[in-house]
Amino acid sequence: MSSAQRMTPTKKQRVRTLWISDVHLGTRDCQAEHLAGFLKRYHADRIYLVGDILDGWKLRSGIYWPQAHTNVIRRLLTMSKRGTEVIYVTGNHDEFLRRYSSLLLGNIRLVDEVEHTTADGRRLLVIHGDQFDVITRYHRWLAFLGDSAYEFTLTLNRWLNYWRSRYGYGYWSLSAYLKHKVKTAVNFISDFEEAIAHEVHKRGLNGVVCGHIHHAEIRWIGEVEYLNCGDWVESCSALIEHWDGSIQLYRLAEEQAQHAAALAAVETAA
């Protein structure tokens, strides 16, 4: 048995809730293998799919659906069959599902938004968030144009990480790095966060869990707790609620770095 195998947990962790968003199944940049691996490690009472799980925009122009994408769907269905409540919150890339909102199929529910109460009593709005994106809502042609430019950076990202993995380096997102460096992108993220926090405060809720902008984060905006799931295209991130109500931000890159450090320690000790 390799040291890597020894470091891999064999028992599933019990958690109260998982949130994932912006998986974009049906696109070449979807990190489906990583997501399937993440889901296998947890047993959750409830999982929220916070929009853009399927990419209807891309599937309209051609079908791309490898086995890894099917494996994610199978994993979610298996979790549902074993007792996990699956709540699918629609997004803008899977907006074709909004005509079926309030659909209930066994342990799977389809909604446009929903309220979640944490173990310690905090009331959180769970919504994809495209409703608070001015470009997506009022300038749809510009959103498609921006999506094409974004897709180009993701192509570069895919090739970069291919070579990084060949040389033994962990996952790193070029597109996420550029978001933090380009002023207009930073301003857009800030405007989005402020708009959604304002709506949550107006509704008298404690916080919000959203996706849409592919920017994973937990922070306070005034009196509102803002939690963004991130995505499984760039950052490979998710939110995890533990049994005491605390919410953890999971990032694949951080996990890989921790495993690499632990393996180095094991090898040094040996």
Side-chain angles (χ1 to χ4, degrees):
M1 180 182 292
S2 70
S3 57
Q5 289 172 316
R6 288 196 299 270
M7 293 303 299
T8 302
T10 57
K11 189 174 181 180
K12 289 189 178 185
Q13 182 179 352
R14 286 293 306 267
V15 296
R16 190 168 186 265
T17 313
L18 295 175
W19 288 272
I20 63 172
S21 73
D22 297 274
V23 180
H24 292 275
L25 293 170
T27 67
R28 294 183 183 276
D29 299 296
C30 168
Q31 303 290 329
E33 297 90 347
H34 290 312
L35 176 56
F38 169 79
L39 292 173
K40 283 181 182 179
R41 297 202 301 274
Y42 293 95
H43 179 84
D45 278 5
R46 183 179 291 110
I47 180 167
Y48 290 94
L49 308 176
V50 193
D52 288 3
I53 305 304
L54 300 169
D55 197 316
W57 291 11
K58 195 66 178 177
L59 289 171
R60 277 201 297 262
S61 60
I63 300 298
Y64 174 78
W65 196 272
Q67 182 61 43
H69 294 206
T70 298
N71 292 343
V72 169
I73 299 296
R74 284 180 173 173
R75 174 55 47 186
L76 291 168
L77 291 175
T78 298
M79 293 174 75
S80 172
K81 184 178 179 180
R82 292 176 179 173
T84 298
E85 182 184 6
V86 178
I87 301 175
Y88 193 129
V89 181
T90 58
N92 55 307
H93 280 258
D94 46 23
E95 63 186 353
F96 63 93
L97 293 174
R98 285 179 171 163
R99 71 187 70 174
Y100 307 111
S101 294
S102 301
L103 180 67
L104 182 63
L105 294 172
N107 218 18
I108 302 175
R109 183 154 55 109
L110 186 67
V111 297
D112 292 334
E113 62 177 66
V114 68
E115 184 180 314
H116 173 80
T117 303
T118 63
D120 56 356
R122 304 191 321 277
R123 296 168 59 213
L124 307 177
L125 174 66
V126 183
I127 189 170
H128 180 63
D130 59 289
Q131 300 90 334
F132 302 92
D133 177 351
V134 174
I135 292 177
T136 298
R137 191 169 182 182
Y138 299 109
H139 304 285
R140 190 174 178 82
W141 65 272
L142 192 57
F144 278 106
L145 181 63
D147 195 58
S148 298
Y150 177 60
E151 187 176 329
F152 173 71
T153 65
L154 291 179
T155 300
L156 294 178
N157 195 68
R158 186 167 66 243
W159 282 104
L160 173 65
N161 278 287
Y162 168 78
W163 288 107
R164 282 177 63 86
S165 65
R166 288 288 298 271
Y167 287 96
Y169 293 98
Y171 181 81
W172 181 77
S173 177
L174 169 65
S175 47
Y177 171 80
L178 292 175
K179 272 186 186 176
H180 285 81
K181 294 298 181 181
V182 179
K183 185 177 180 181
T184 52
V186 172
N187 289 341
F188 167 76
I189 291 172
S190 178
D191 290 345
F192 171 85
E193 293 172 344
E194 293 288 343
I196 201 168
H198 175 74
E199 175 64 21
V200 169
H201 179 72
K202 189 169 67 174
R203 295 192 190 189
L205 301 174
N206 301 111
V208 60
V209 176
C210 60
H212 186 57
I213 59 173
H214 295 205
H215 183 66
E217 189 171 22
I218 297 178
R219 73 183 185 97
W220 287 88
I221 303 176
E223 299 177 356
V224 173
E225 186 177 13
Y226 172 86
L227 306 106
N228 194 300
C229 310
D231 65 281
W232 288 87
V233 174
E234 301 176 55
S235 61
C236 296
S237 54
L239 295 170
I240 304 169
E241 182 191 1
H242 297 284
W243 292 100
D244 61 356
S246 62
I247 299 178
Q248 169 195 351
L249 177 56
Y250 167 90
R251 296 180 191 271
L252 174 66
E254 292 177 0
E255 181 186 66
Q256 288 179 336
Q258 290 170 359
H259 282 185
L263 287 173
V266 169
E267 291 170 358
T268 300

